[in-house]
Amino acid sequence: MTMAGIFVNRLAVVGVGLIGGSLVRALRRAGAVGEVVGVDLDRENLLRAKQFGVVDRCAESLADGVGGADLVFVSVPVCAIPSVVRDLVPHLAPGTIVTDGGSVKGEIVAACEALMPPGAHFVGGHPIAGTEHSGVEASFATLYEGKRCIVTPTSRTDAAALETVVRIWEAVGSEVVLMDAEKHDRLVAAISHLPHMVAYALVNAVEGYDRLGEGVLQYSAGGFRDFTRIASSDPAMWRDIALMNREGVLEMMDHFAAYFATLRAMVAAGDADGLERFFRESKESRDAIL
Ligand code: NAP
């Protein structure tokens, strides 16, 4: 990795968990950031962030954290992002850039852009990288390396602010893709939100299957565990995503239900050719992305 040189003098991170903590670790590794101030509802998590050297200072309040920052990164659960941004706006220095890492973009970008006072700029972002773990202890410097980050400018986005946000994600090794926020939400509904809904439903369905008596899950092996890894993700985070990207998630759940119904019909009919074709097409698509 090449050293970027400091281009963010003071970074405020609101929500120093997996996503915020990993961004700071990666920016430090790239030599791109000066002082880092952390803000977090979870005081214990914030103190650990200081202990681990992720933040230089724990803010006493949102005002204390974001005042004087040239960049504010908001990485709290998606439903909280607009209200956090509303609360931090009065404390922004002129010229501050506010950006986020939330997994849903349409509602967040519209709300946060409208909240910006003259001279401050909002740019939405979403790193397509993560794990099923939460908190600063789960963060690591290489999370974003070789991954994509979707940045969602609008017709009102300040060009220099956009350039800085793109530079941040490139400095941590990501490939930046610029995309309209609504398109982003439809895309992630398909590649991320639907798989989480299916994984959560699958675990509950198998756990709730009691025709064989208790303890079905204890017999689960590699396949079940690989498939359902993401059902260990933070329930509050996924509650927020399902609520905020409701339309996109529902559209993909219906789309999936249609495919599942087709598969069920083939099993019911004993359609060997149909089943093999269905599985072959799926295998070819998956093999192609690996
Ligand atoms: P996380 O590890 O749980 O970290 C979030 C931190 O923010 C927690 O310490 C949380 O405290 C704190 N927080 C919650 N509400 C707050 C508020 N109003 N003000 C200040 N701090 C607050 O979560 P994460 O996985 O980093 O996710 C952060 C964001 O990144 C979410 O918007 C998520 O959609 C997005 N994202 C996540 C992933 C992923 O794989 N995890 C991938 C891409 C994007 P409490 O625990 O007390 O609530």
Side-chain angles (χ1 to χ4, degrees):
M1 173 170 292
T2 52
M3 297 299 274
I6 291 183
F7 63 93
V8 178
N9 289 315
R10 182 162 166 194
L11 170 67
V13 179
V14 186
V16 195
L18 169 71
I19 294 301
S22 296
L23 182 65
V24 178
R25 288 183 193 270
L27 285 172
R28 286 193 188 284
R29 214 168 66 125
V33 71
E35 189 194 14
V36 180
V37 184
V39 183
D40 205 300
L41 266 189
D42 182 344
R43 192 74 193 166
E44 294 299 311
N45 182 63
L46 189 56
L47 292 173
R48 282 196 297 279
K50 172 85 172 63
Q51 241 172 37
F52 300 158
V54 172
V55 301
D56 298 302
R57 191 163 76 73
C58 303
E60 295 306 322
S61 63
L62 198 55
D64 173 38
V66 306
D70 39 353
L71 190 111
V72 179
F73 182 64
V74 184
S75 42
V76 301
V78 288
C79 289
I81 294 177
S83 58
V84 162
V85 170
R86 186 196 58 223
D87 293 347
L88 63 78
V89 154
H91 314 292
L92 295 178
T96 305
I97 299 168
V98 181
T99 187
D100 77 313
S103 307
V104 182
K105 293 272 65 83
E107 200 176 318
I108 288 175
V109 172
C112 295
E113 197 168 64
L115 285 165
M116 284 300 113
H121 311 287
F122 183 82
V123 183
H126 175 206
I128 309 297
T131 74
E132 69 277 28
H133 305 297
S134 301
V136 71
E137 61 274 23
S139 65
F140 55 101
T142 54
L143 176 63
Y144 304 116
E145 248 177 56
K147 304 286 174 21
R148 289 202 173 95
C149 180
I150 300 180
V151 174
T152 56
T154 71
S155 57
R156 292 169 56 192
T157 301
D158 179 79
L162 174 61
E163 199 178 308
T164 301
V165 171
V166 168
R167 202 170 162 200
I168 283 165
W169 290 110
E170 287 179 347
V172 300
S174 291
E175 179 199 340
V176 174
V177 180
L178 300 185
M179 194 181 287
D180 167 76
E182 277 66 38
K183 181 173 174 188
H184 164 276
D185 288 356
R186 288 196 300 275
L187 185 133
V188 294
I191 53 128
S192 170
H193 303 175
L194 175 68
H196 279 82
M197 299 303 126
V198 174
Y200 281 123
L202 179 67
V203 174
N204 281 351
V206 174
E207 172 62 16
Y209 180 72
D210 59 5
R211 273 178 68 184
L212 298 176
E214 284 178 21
V216 177
L217 277 182
Q218 69 181 314
Y219 294 95
S220 67
F224 188 86
R225 288 171 195 218
D226 287 353
F227 186 86
T228 58
R229 176 183 60 81
I230 53 179
S232 289
S233 303
D234 181 30
M237 177 175 134
W238 282 96
R239 173 204 61 206
D240 272 23
I241 291 171
L243 291 173
M244 202 183 244
N245 198 17
R246 182 164 172 259
E247 222 175 275
V249 169
L250 284 177
E251 186 185 343
M252 279 315 301
M253 288 175 87
D254 291 345
H255 187 65
F256 177 75
Y259 273 70
F260 204 60
T262 300
L263 179 58
R264 188 189 187 286
M266 289 188 291
V267 174
D271 179 359
D273 291 345
L275 285 168
E276 193 175 334
R277 198 178 330 112
F278 192 90
F279 297 147
R280 180 172 302 110
E281 282 168 7
S282 180
K283 175 177 164 49
E284 284 169 5
S285 298
R286 183 168 192 277
D287 289 351
I289 59 166
L290 293 182

